């Protein structure tokens, strides 16, 4: 596909386009990355290079209101070997502490290199002189190095939305040298947490014998956030409309509503959470007649066997718990295997007395930040995994080790018993943190560092912040 006719000064590169083709229209794609970045790309104009989410899709580039969409085509074989294989069955589990065993397959690596090269060629063809190029996430780690070899003029940023693992785990990757060299093509390399920065530097030092900061590369923590103003507006209108009390009454007016909202992924700790709630019902700490646990599990990566197995395990567990504790008045666990539009997600946040964001490992966990933003002025309790990036900032949450069943049970019980005044003040403190470290500030910080990075023709490009 040819995009050379139009050159862009700001290019976001991500595995997925911010929209998917559904019948004859585009619709928003799921995922934290997309929800984090589309407003930024829209505000600054420019282009978004990504996959449409459909194999063999021949869709042509399209100019949307503020942003050009530049699709990168993936064949059905490449979806299997690059996306489901290398990205989500090798890197994803390896970077999330072996939450399932990563698989190392040479044919997947071949496809992964081919697809990353295709992305890089699209960027090289679409970037205006001195453009800013911001590459996102683990599916595209080779892209910075490849673009750098094709276009020495552009400034390149790379941001990882997921954790970077300890060197002892990373070193297992047979293609560790190539992956590190790919990332090191960027001028600014960002991670969610300081711990990820340290892991990355340790990997570069141990495996490549270099500390990238010594040649001027910026490597830093840029914790991603949410648009709390927008969430606040949605929350106000949902409350005005009476949605939370309506949903509560549909749930049978329980005393307590617990909520989990996650992609159906091993990293999210859904099974561990269900087992903790089951034991709390078993030992009488929670009353199944007056408690409702709503678990929204957004379908994800369903062609991958490990994800299908997880779904079967979760659904069997929900069935067992409801079989044991459900009454005529309804089930204690409401399991919803579907995706909701974001304004409905906010209604769920407003209904939930307690949010369980108890991932086994998570780059950030934007759901936790969305919850506190929606609950501002309304109270509510956040139970948050210490292994989610958000735990660095949301220190007033009930922070828990989700691998420790007793600790998880204690945290859930404490959350249910929390006094309203304490819940209010904790939510207020966390909502202030989220509002002060907004999505917009995250993007601005990263882009400011990128604009300042090693560029030889300052002034060639107006500051992006000035383009708003
Ligand atoms: C995580 C990743 C994103 C990804 C999203 C949805 O948030 O960091 O890069 O887009 O999950 O996963 P999917 O495989 O459906 O794109």
């Amino acid at each position: 596909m040819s995009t050379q006719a139009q050159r862009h000064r700001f290019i976001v590169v991500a595995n997925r386009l911010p929209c998917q083709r559904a019948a004859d229209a585009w619709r928003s794609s799921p995922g934290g990355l997309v929800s984090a970045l589309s407003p930024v790309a829209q505000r600054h104009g420019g282009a978004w290079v990504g996959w449409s989410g459909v194999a063999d899709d021949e869709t042509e580039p399209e100019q949307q209101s503020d942003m050009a969409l530049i699709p990168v085509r993936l064949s059905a074989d490449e979806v299997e070997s690059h996306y489901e294989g290398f990205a989500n069955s090798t890197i994803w589990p390896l970077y999330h502490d072996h939450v399932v065993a990563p698989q190392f397959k040479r044919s997947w690596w071949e496809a992964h290199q081919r697809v990353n090269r295709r992305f890089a060629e699209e960027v090289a063809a679409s970037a205006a002189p001195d453009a800013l190029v911001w590459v996102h996430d683990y599916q595209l780690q080779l892209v910075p190095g490849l673009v750098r070899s094709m276009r020495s003029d552009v400034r390149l940023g790379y941001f990882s939305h997921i954790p970077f693992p300890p060197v002892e785990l990373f070193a297992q990757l047979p293609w560790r040298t190539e992956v590190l060299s790919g990332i090191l093509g960027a001028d600014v390399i960002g991670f969610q947490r300081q711990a990820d920065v340290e892991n990355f530097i340790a990997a570069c030092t141990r495996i490549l014998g270099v500390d990238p900061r010594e040649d001027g590369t910026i490597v830093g923590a840029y914790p991603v956030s949410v648009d709390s103003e927008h969430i606040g507006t949605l929350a106000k209108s949902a409350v005005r409309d009476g949605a939370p009390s309506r949903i509560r009454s549909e749930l049978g007016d329980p005393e307590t509503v617990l909520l989990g909202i996650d992609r159906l992924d091993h990293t999210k700790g859904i099974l561990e959470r269900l087992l903790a709630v089951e034991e709390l019902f078993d030992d009488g700490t929670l009353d199944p007649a007056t408690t409702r646990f709503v678990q929204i599990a957004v379908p994800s990566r369903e062609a991958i066997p490990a994800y299908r197995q997880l779904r079967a395990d979760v659904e069997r567990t929900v069935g067992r718990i409801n079989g044991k504790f459900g009454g005529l008045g309804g089930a204690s666990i409401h399991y919803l295997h579907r995706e909701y539009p974001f304004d409905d997600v906010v209604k769920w946040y407003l209904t939930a007395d307690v949010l369980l964001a108890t991932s086994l490992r998570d780059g950030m966990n934007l759901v936790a930040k969305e919850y506190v933003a929606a609950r501002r002025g309304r109270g509510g309790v956040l139970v948050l995994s210490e292994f989610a990036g958000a735990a660095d900032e949301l220190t007033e949450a009930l922070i828990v080790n989700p691998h420790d069943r007793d600790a998880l049970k204690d945290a859930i019980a404490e959350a249910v018993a929390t006094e309203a005044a304490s819940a209010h003040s904790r939510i207020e403190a966390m909502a202030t943190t989220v509002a002060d470290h907004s999505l917009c500030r995250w993007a601005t910080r990263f882009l400011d560092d990128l604009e300042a990075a090693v560029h030889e023709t300052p002034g060639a490009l107006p500051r992006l912040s000035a383009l708003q």
Side-chain angles (χ1 to χ4, degrees), residues 125-175:
S126 315
D130 302 316
L132 292 195
V133 176
W134 193 1
V135 181
H136 288 263
D137 232 0
Y138 64 101
Q139 306 92 339
L140 301 176
Q141 293 176 111
L142 308 180
V143 169
L146 291 164
V147 174
R148 176 60 68 225
S149 68
M150 299 169 194
R151 289 286 302 268
S152 59
D153 58 314
V154 298
R155 278 163 296 185
L156 272 161
Y158 172 75
F159 182 77
S160 175
H161 291 253
I162 70 170
F164 195 87
V167 62
E168 292 75 12
L169 288 180
F170 179 75
Q172 293 176 1
L173 185 66
W175 309 283

Side-chain angles (χ1 to χ4, degrees), residues 221-400:
Y222 301 82
V224 73
S225 194
V226 299
D227 186 346
S228 61
E229 229 173 272
H230 175 57
I231 295 170
T233 309
L234 291 177
K236 261 196 210 114
S237 100
V239 169
R240 238 190 344 259
D241 179 46
S245 36
R246 214 167 36 243
I247 296 175
R248 218 177 167 95
S249 116
E250 280 169 26
L251 289 172
D253 276 321
E255 271 168 34
T256 311
V257 177
L258 309 172
L259 174 70
I261 303 192
D262 314 83
R263 271 186 319 99
L264 187 42
D265 192 294
H266 299 85
T267 58
K268 302 295 183 181
I270 298 171
L271 212 45
E272 290 73 6
R273 193 183 296 158
L274 284 166
L275 295 175
V277 170
E278 179 180 27
E279 283 193 17
L280 288 165
F281 286 159
D282 267 331
D283 63 24
T285 310
L286 292 184
D287 179 356
T290 58
T291 307
R292 293 287 177 264
F293 173 25
V294 179
Q295 175 63 57
I296 297 174
V298 178
S300 184
R301 305 175 191 166
E302 292 191 293
I304 301 177
Y307 284 75
R308 285 209 296 270
Q309 183 60 49
L310 174 67
R311 178 175 175 190
D313 292 345
V314 165
E315 294 184 351
R316 203 182 42 247
T317 307
V318 170
R320 188 187 63 234
I321 301 173
N322 279 336
K324 233 194 306 184
F325 299 108
L328 286 178
S332 300
I333 315 265
H334 286 252
Y335 168 74
L336 303 162
H337 181 249
R338 71 196 72 151
E339 193 190 351
Y340 283 90
F342 190 63
D343 46 355
D344 285 348
V345 169
V346 170
K347 292 175 192 163
W348 282 114
Y349 291 146
L350 294 168
T351 309
D353 306 301
V354 176
L355 180 82
L356 303 176
T358 54
S359 321
L360 303 180
R361 173 56 87 192
D362 217 328
M364 176 51 65
N365 196 307
L366 290 173
V367 164
K369 290 189 171 180
E370 288 167 2
Y371 179 72
V372 301
R375 301 290 309 198
R376 187 161 210 175
R378 302 182 175 90
V381 184
L382 172 63
V383 179
L384 179 60
S385 165
E386 68 183 84
F387 303 114
D392 282 0
E393 295 165 273
L394 304 183
T395 49
E396 294 81 5
L398 295 178
I399 308 273
V400 67

